[in-house]
Amino acid sequence: MKTIRNWIAFVCCVLLFCSFKPAGETVTIILPKTPHGRVAFGAEKLVAALKQTGYQVTTVKQDNPSLQKRVIVISVWDDALFKATAGVFQINKQTKPGKEGFVLGAPGAAVKKKTSYAQFVGGADASGTLYGCLELADRIKTTGKLPDAITMIDQPEMVLRGACIGMQKPYYLPGRTVYEYPYTPEQFPWFYDKAHWISYLDSLVENRMNSLYLWSGHPFASLVKLKDYPYAVEVDDATFKKNEEVFRFLTKEADKRGIWVIQMFYNIIVSKPFAEKHNIKTQDRERPIVPLIADYTRKSIAAFVQKYPNVGLMVALGEAMEGVGNDDIEWFTKTIIPGVKDGLKLLGKTEEPPIVLRAHDTDAPAVMEAATPLYKNLYTEAKYNGEALTTYTPRGPWAELHRNLSRNGTVQIENVHILANLEPFRYGSADFIQKSVKAMHDVHHGNALHLYPQASFWDWPYAADSASPRLLQIERDWIWYKEWARYAWNCRRDRNQEVEYWGGLLADKFGTKQAQGKNILTAYEESGEIAPKLLRRVGITDGNRQTLTLGMFMNQLINPFRFGLFTLLYDSEGPEGEMLIEYAEKEWKKEKHIGETPVQVMNEVVAHGNKAVQAIEQATAGITKEKDEFLRIKNDMYCYRALANCFAEKSKASLWVLRYKYSRQLSDLDSALPYLRKSVEYYRELADLTKGTYRYANSMQTAQRKIPIGGDNGKNKTWVELLPFYEKELSHFERSIDSLKNPKPVAATVTKKPLLENADVTVLSEYAGNYTFAVGQMMFSDTMSVIKNYAPELANLKGYRFNKARQIAAGTTIRFSNAKPVKVLVGFFNKKGPWLLGAPELETNAAANDYGQAETKIANGVVITGFPAVNIHTYSFPAGTNTLTLAKGACMIIGFIDSDQVIKPYDAGLVPGVTKLELDWLFE
Ligand code: ADA
């Protein structure tokens, strides 16, 4: 790192303009006799820039050139051409730049006399030479002329600078589940479009990106055939051939541009035909490692490495495999690494291709410890701010994990994952992004970037705009890619110059003046603070379980724990500060506030929204190019303002409602009402602004989306669809206040919950007896803990007792048959502990809602001596014979109920020592 910075500090640039007119001037490009593909590609780009500017260009390939004419010598350090010419160009051979670096050199006096122009491009390696050519080409394009002389040395700061594409869809395919998308022309027509690839790869290289990640659950059955498992292939022969051809084309074209293709896959997923043949599930988190699947996976990897030796692999050890414990280590060290080594043996090679280990849903430091003695070329990767962009001041345990990986691995890659809080509006804050990249280095100690699309990850290559024909992400979100890439190359750039730089680019794009370009940048930077600040202060999760721009319900603001608050968001992914509930409590108790408060954030986001709108308005008059796109940016700024205002009003309403919890004064609820009304007005504005301009807010359109509301079957993805819910919430609140003011004989306050009744099931597997819900009952056969308190509606249920030690060692399985659909009530202890089973968590397990189990149905519903309080979730099963398999760890099987018994989610509040007033009924 330090060396890189020193090198960058070396960068020195002298730019003098030529006096002659380019038209008709001839320039000779001298290339090595047998140039590397990347060098030839760089030269092509340089030639194109020269021709575009009016030069006549001749290209020669020779290692010992005469330098009589106007020449540009292009070489790689230490090649014959370099040796023959470096001296003439006064290149100090000792000052070789680092990996991917380059030198642009001006001639010494002797050559200067003979030629009115000469220039030298020398790269530390082929990629460096390519980047040197691109640098020169950019300067020609900007000034319209060949610069007379440039001396410059430069190299990237981050060693990997990559973007990713999801081979995934917004919906599940019939009969399949998350991540399972075979590579076919029906699903991914763009994958077979070579022109699309070329323009994408060109945009990557233009941004000096050097890696491209393809994300898929199980790519192997679309790309390799195995002798032992011929039936595993899941595409027809013609498609298989096309896939081979496209993959080869892609890797070749990428390589030319200095881009390394990396195929990502999830574990343990098998192909659908493989699963059908063996009568197993395609993925099953609770399934232990079985020899058949291990063998199939190992052979798939070996065949892949053999066939595509220049493709790297990226592995998610979690998802579809339990996230912690020895299985991950076993799988990585005994299946994946051996698979890669087998492939190398088949190839007769010893040079190890890189393997990137994702820290997602696994104990990556432990896996690295076990794997490094076995394999040298390992990288690690972890999400920068979860599946969102929330801060450039990361901290806490998540930052510590990054530093740990950076200490112990080779290179730690910072993953800007799905931007669940930015979807779908445009994002272009150079300031936020530059600061984030600095934090990646300085706080996380990362030295590589893996960048997701700004929005619509699941809908590649399209953006969410309603525009027709559909907008392409790489075109719409050009500034997103450019900003990250520019700072991945070098984040230590002077801010004032950066404002000029981006202002200039924007002015150019929209055919306006520099001042207006800067206004557009201001609009991006002001709006760019809104979503990060909102999510980190009032959000439920950093995961794509929440779509922030669709808003939030009152209960999510005033009772976030009921919705499975993901605490990392608060302790790692933002500055220290307070949640609404904490702020309200402190206000009531007159305690000192700490750090960033929600009130402060709400004032700030409103100001950001106003400034963004003001800045974009100031830019409007001068726009002469790309007017439609400018109007879309403008609309996004108005959307952001409406969103910020809506959240601000709703937060004010929440604070009054939370005050009521302590004061019990109805006047506090009265005070909340106008704010809630105002928030609905702003939401209506947002719905109007997005009607006809956006197809959707979120691109993952499945039941995995939970906040503000379930996204089952592609529903609830637009603001127009959501508005009635918010209107209903408001009228419900109005009625609730009325009923409190005019109590009827039975006040419409907290209604008594109906008793839950046992469903008719026959349990076929072993368990250790039943218990009833009564104080003093034991729910584990090997532990003396007893029930201390429970939600009254559980009173009739028959619980199933298990041996806790066995649950911890082997998990919990219960097989049963039922004539009618049922739900199993499972209790999860609401604190994390090494031997406690964690509740289903969509942040780390995309299949965590397959049985409808993600949401807590009754929070704090049972209290047991010596244990944290219990949150109750339900798993739904159809009629028939079923098995519920839970991972290792202690949990409670509370009973079976008929599917049609509805449990309206709420917090029973049986937490010892906490004053509780149920407020949720006010809004739903
Ligand atoms: C979560 C998220 C998925 C995916 C995954 C991952 O499960 O819901 O959409 O992003 O993480 O691979 O990190």
Side-chain angles (χ1 to χ4, degrees):
M1 275 269 290
K2 231 186 176 166
T3 346
I4 293 175
R5 259 186 250 135
N6 288 343
W7 277 118
I8 301 300
F10 251 94
V11 171
C12 127
C13 162
V14 182
L15 178 59
L16 299 165
F17 297 115
C18 261
S19 49
F20 60 83
K21 291 228 171 348
E25 295 290 338
T26 305
V27 176
T28 304
I29 303 271
I30 305 175
L31 285 172
K33 244 189 192 147
T34 44
H36 186 287
R38 288 178 204 168
V39 175
F41 181 82
E44 258 172 47
K45 293 283 166 190
L46 184 54
V47 169
L50 285 164
K51 287 191 173 159
Q52 210 182 310
T53 328
Y55 291 93
Q56 310 259 344
V57 189
T58 326
T59 305
V60 295
K61 290 179 185 161
Q62 55 188 90
D63 286 340
N64 210 348
S66 98
L67 300 174
Q68 299 296 331
K69 304 178 210 135
R70 251 166 225 149
V71 290
I72 301 174
V73 175
I74 298 176
S75 71
V76 180
W77 219 267
D78 284 340
D79 69 7
L81 182 57
F82 179 89
K83 286 184 185 141
T85 49
V88 179
F89 286 92
Q90 296 180 324
I91 305 297
N92 177 358
K93 291 185 194 162
Q94 311 310 316
T95 58
K96 179 176 175 178
K99 222 169 160 275
E100 296 181 298
F102 62 86
V103 165
L104 299 184
V111 175
K112 252 193 197 154
K113 265 194 222 148
K114 293 187 199 160
T115 142
S116 58
Y117 179 82
Q119 181 69 54
F120 177 85
V121 181
D125 43 36
S127 291
T129 309
L130 160 63
Y131 293 145
C133 291
L134 295 181
E135 177 68 35
L136 195 52
D138 281 353
R139 283 165 186 262
I140 294 167
K141 282 190 255 172
T142 324
T143 60
K145 291 170 192 159
L146 253 174
D148 194 20
I150 307 176
T151 56
M152 169 176 191
I153 175 166
D154 202 1
Q155 75 173 77
E157 201 169 12
M158 286 188 152
V159 296
L160 283 177
R161 304 167 307 281
C164 87
I165 292 182
M167 297 291 294
Q168 327 223 354
K169 307 294 280 180
Y171 43 81
Y172 293 169
L173 297 181
R176 293 173 184 269
T177 168
V178 67
Y179 310 133
E180 294 178 16
Y181 304 98
Y183 293 14
T184 66
E186 296 72 48
Q187 295 310 327
F188 305 108
W190 54 267
F191 183 73
Y192 303 87
D193 178 349
K194 291 186 177 164
H196 171 77
W197 276 125
I198 294 292
S199 67
Y200 180 59
L201 294 172
D202 278 348
S203 79
L204 289 181
V205 69
E206 196 192 305
N207 285 332
R208 317 311 192 246
M209 299 287 250
N210 67 359
S211 29
L212 162 62
Y213 300 79
L214 295 178
W215 283 58
S216 160
H218 182 70
F220 306 115
S222 298
L223 296 168
V224 290
K225 282 184 179 155
L226 305 179
K227 198 162 64 18
D228 296 343
Y229 304 100
Y231 49 85
V233 177
E234 55 185 343
V235 297
D236 60 39
D237 278 352
T239 303
F240 189 84
K241 279 211 184 77
K242 276 191 204 154
N243 289 350
E244 285 180 320
E245 194 208 324
V246 171
F247 223 77
R248 292 223 162 91
F249 162 83
L250 172 63
T251 49
K252 192 166 144 236
E253 288 297 325
D255 187 53
K256 257 204 309 212
R257 291 163 177 79
I259 297 166
W260 173 39
V261 176
I262 302 163
Q263 178 64 63
M264 182 267 173
F265 61 101
Y266 286 96
N267 278 303
I268 302 174
I269 300 182
V270 296
S271 74
K272 193 161 179 266
F274 183 96
E276 278 160 4
K277 169 101 180 169
H278 294 283
N279 199 18
I280 56 174
K281 289 186 185 169
T282 48
Q283 49 179 307
D284 183 355
R285 192 177 174 86
E286 274 68 50
R287 177 166 59 201
I289 296 173
V290 288
L292 169 76
I293 301 181
D295 187 60
Y296 165 67
T297 307
R298 180 170 171 167
K299 287 184 172 143
S300 297
I301 293 173
F304 185 81
V305 170
Q306 185 188 14
K307 197 160 170 184
Y308 305 106
N310 297 324
V311 179
L313 286 173
M314 180 186 228
V315 190
L317 278 185
E319 301 266 346
M321 182 177 202
E322 211 192 317
V324 280
N326 276 339
D327 278 8
D328 296 32
I329 298 177
E330 286 263 317
W331 189 247
F332 197 57
T333 55
K334 300 204 174 134
T335 296
I336 291 174
I337 292 178
V340 174
K341 288 190 169 172
D342 292 349
L344 287 178
K345 239 184 251 152
L346 293 168
L347 273 172
K349 277 177 70 168
T350 50
E351 196 196 331
E352 293 175 340
I355 306 179
V356 183
L357 172 72
R358 295 191 62 207
H360 174 61
D361 193 26
T362 194
D363 181 354
V367 178
M368 281 301 278
E369 203 182 311
T372 32
L374 305 175
Y375 200 85
K376 294 290 159 264
N377 206 5
L378 290 176
Y379 292 72
T380 52
E381 178 254 32
K383 291 172 183 168
Y384 172 60
N385 292 163
E387 292 154 20
L389 185 65
T390 57
T391 191
Y392 45 77
T393 57
R395 64 194 176 101
W398 194 246
E400 187 43 43
L401 172 81
H402 285 247
R403 287 192 290 268
N404 184 342
L405 292 173
S406 166
R407 261 193 310 276
N408 298 322
T410 49
V411 171
Q412 159 57 18
I413 305 171
E414 296 291 304
N415 176 209
V416 178
H417 202 81
I418 294 172
L419 286 307
N421 64 332
L422 305 187
E423 279 197 296
F425 308 131
R426 286 158 179 76
Y427 192 94
S429 173
D431 186 38
F432 203 106
I433 290 175
Q434 182 173 11
K435 287 175 175 156
S436 297
V437 179
K438 280 187 186 157
M440 289 173 173
H441 287 289
D442 301 344
V443 183
H444 280 181
H445 300 171
N447 196 24
L449 172 74
H450 173 182
L451 181 66
Y452 260 61
Q454 191 239 291
S456 299
F457 167 72
W458 305 86
D459 200 13
W460 180 266
Y462 299 113
D465 304 67
S466 306
S468 177
R470 292 195 70 176
L471 303 185
L472 292 177
Q473 292 178 28
I474 48 165
E475 287 170 9
R476 186 194 99 140
D477 300 327
W478 66 278
I479 197 163
W480 168 261
Y481 289 103
K482 220 176 189 48
E483 288 175 344
W484 283 104
R486 181 170 170 84
Y487 298 119
W489 182 281
N490 174 12
C491 68
R492 319 278 166 193
R493 299 174 194 260
D494 174 72
R495 168 74 182 148
N496 293 330
Q497 285 173 15
E498 288 309 286
V499 171
E500 295 303 322
Y501 173 79
W502 294 111
L505 282 190
L506 287 160
D508 201 37
K509 180 171 171 70
F510 294 105
T512 184
K513 301 209 180 73
Q514 180 76 5
Q516 274 77 52
K518 279 167 40 183
N519 285 334
I520 303 175
L521 180 67
T522 303
Y524 271 132
E525 297 198 331
E526 291 294 340
S527 63
E529 294 286 332
I530 295 173
K533 283 187 179 169
L534 285 178
L535 191 74
R536 72 184 186 220
R537 221 19 73 220
V538 298
I540 299 284
T541 173
D542 68 9
N544 56 8
R545 178 161 68 92
Q546 169 164 16
T547 302
L548 178 89
T549 59
L550 283 176
M552 283 171 76
F553 288 107
M554 283 299 280
N555 282 335
Q556 291 162 346
L557 293 171
I558 62 174
N559 194 2
F561 283 99
R562 191 188 117 187
F563 297 88
L565 187 85
F566 194 65
T567 47
L568 214 55
L569 179 59
Y570 288 88
D571 62 25
S572 291
E573 293 163 358
E576 187 182 11
E578 293 172 2
M579 300 169 65
L580 284 164
I581 43 173
E582 292 164 333
Y583 185 90
E585 188 177 349
K586 287 192 174 178
E587 278 289 288
W588 180 252
K589 294 183 177 162
K590 301 201 172 3
E591 284 171 7
K592 206 169 151 267
H593 294 289
I594 295 170
E596 188 180 76
T597 68
V599 170
Q600 168 200 340
V601 156
M602 292 308 153
N603 290 335
E604 286 172 7
V605 294
V606 168
H608 290 310
N610 288 333
K611 286 188 195 155
V613 165
Q614 200 186 347
I616 206 72
E617 283 297 351
Q618 279 167 359
T620 306
I623 303 301
T624 62
K625 270 162 54 186
E626 300 212 29
K627 289 188 179 165
D628 287 348
E629 178 55 13
F630 179 78
L631 289 178
R632 286 190 286 261
I633 299 182
K634 190 166 167 177
N635 195 55
D636 282 357
M637 296 306 141
Y638 278 87
C639 289
Y640 260 126
R641 186 178 68 173
L643 182 75
N645 289 341
C646 173
F647 265 101
E649 297 301 324
K650 214 154 181 171
S651 298
K652 285 181 208 156
S654 304
L655 287 176
W656 281 113
V657 174
L658 286 165
R659 187 174 195 281
Y660 167 74
K661 184 168 136 188
Y662 303 101
S663 73
R664 314 276 160 120
Q665 283 168 5
L666 277 180
S667 58
D668 285 342
L669 296 184
D670 280 335
S671 298
L673 194 53
Y675 293 113
L676 192 58
R677 285 197 183 120
K678 207 84 220 264
S679 82
V680 175
E681 275 170 37
Y682 283 122
Y683 201 88
R684 196 167 294 124
E685 183 188 336
L686 190 54
D688 288 342
L689 287 165
T690 49
K691 198 188 306 172
T693 58
Y694 276 106
R695 290 160 199 263
Y696 57 76
N698 51 302
S699 61
M700 187 194 70
Q701 294 156 11
T702 64
Q704 234 183 296
R705 218 282 308 301
K706 289 285 189 198
I707 313 285
I709 197 165
D712 313 43
N713 306 318
K715 289 211 182 75
N716 300 329
K717 56 179 183 283
T718 65
W719 300 263
V720 171
E721 276 171 289
L722 269 273
L723 180 60
F725 290 101
Y726 291 120
E727 286 168 340
K728 198 165 146 209
E729 180 182 58
L730 171 63
S731 55
H732 193 108
F733 185 50
E734 286 165 340
R735 275 201 312 277
S736 302
I737 295 181
D738 275 355
S739 64
L740 281 171
K741 284 187 179 161
N742 309 300
K744 304 256 159 43
V746 181
T749 51
V750 189
T751 39
K752 224 173 137 221
K753 310 267 183 294
L755 280 173
L756 296 170
E757 299 299 341
N758 292 305
D760 199 5
V761 292
T762 312
V763 174
L764 307 167
S765 53
E766 260 182 55
Y767 61 101
N770 293 101
Y771 56 89
T772 50
F773 272 86
V775 171
Q777 284 285 315
M778 275 171 59
M779 73 300 314
F780 295 117
S781 59
D782 56 342
T783 306
M784 292 310 289
S785 297
V786 292
I787 295 180
K788 242 169 63 178
N789 201 353
Y790 57 93
E793 63 272 29
L794 304 179
N796 280 355
L797 289 184
K798 185 167 83 177
Y800 290 77
R801 192 172 285 132
F802 279 81
N803 179 298
K804 183 166 73 69
R806 213 167 300 147
Q807 282 189 314
I808 294 167
T812 308
T813 301
I814 180 159
R815 226 176 125 245
F816 53 93
S817 69
N818 46 303
K820 288 205 286 178
V822 293
K823 287 189 271 209
V824 190
L825 275 67
V826 179
F828 296 93
F829 299 105
N830 72 8
K831 293 230 161 62
K832 292 209 161 126
W835 41 266
L836 299 178
L837 176 59
E841 190 178 82
L842 280 164
E843 284 75 6
T844 49
N845 172 18
N849 196 39
D850 284 2
Y851 300 89
Q853 76 272 37
E855 191 177 24
T856 304
K857 290 286 164 30
I858 307 176
N860 301 302
V862 186
V863 180
I864 295 168
T865 51
F867 281 83
V870 173
N871 287 344
I872 303 174
H873 293 233
T874 60
Y875 289 68
S876 297
F877 288 93
T881 299
N882 293 294
T883 306
L884 168 66
T885 316
L886 299 166
K888 293 171 195 160
C891 64
M892 284 178 77
I893 302 295
I894 289 173
F896 291 85
I897 59 172
D898 279 340
S899 254
D900 46 22
Q901 290 191 69
V902 177
I903 306 179
K904 209 168 146 194
Y906 82 108
D907 186 346
L910 307 179
V911 188
V914 172
T915 356
K916 169 81 193 158
L917 175 64
E918 204 194 311
L919 296 172
D920 305 23
W921 69 274
L922 291 169
F923 302 98
E924 56 185 39

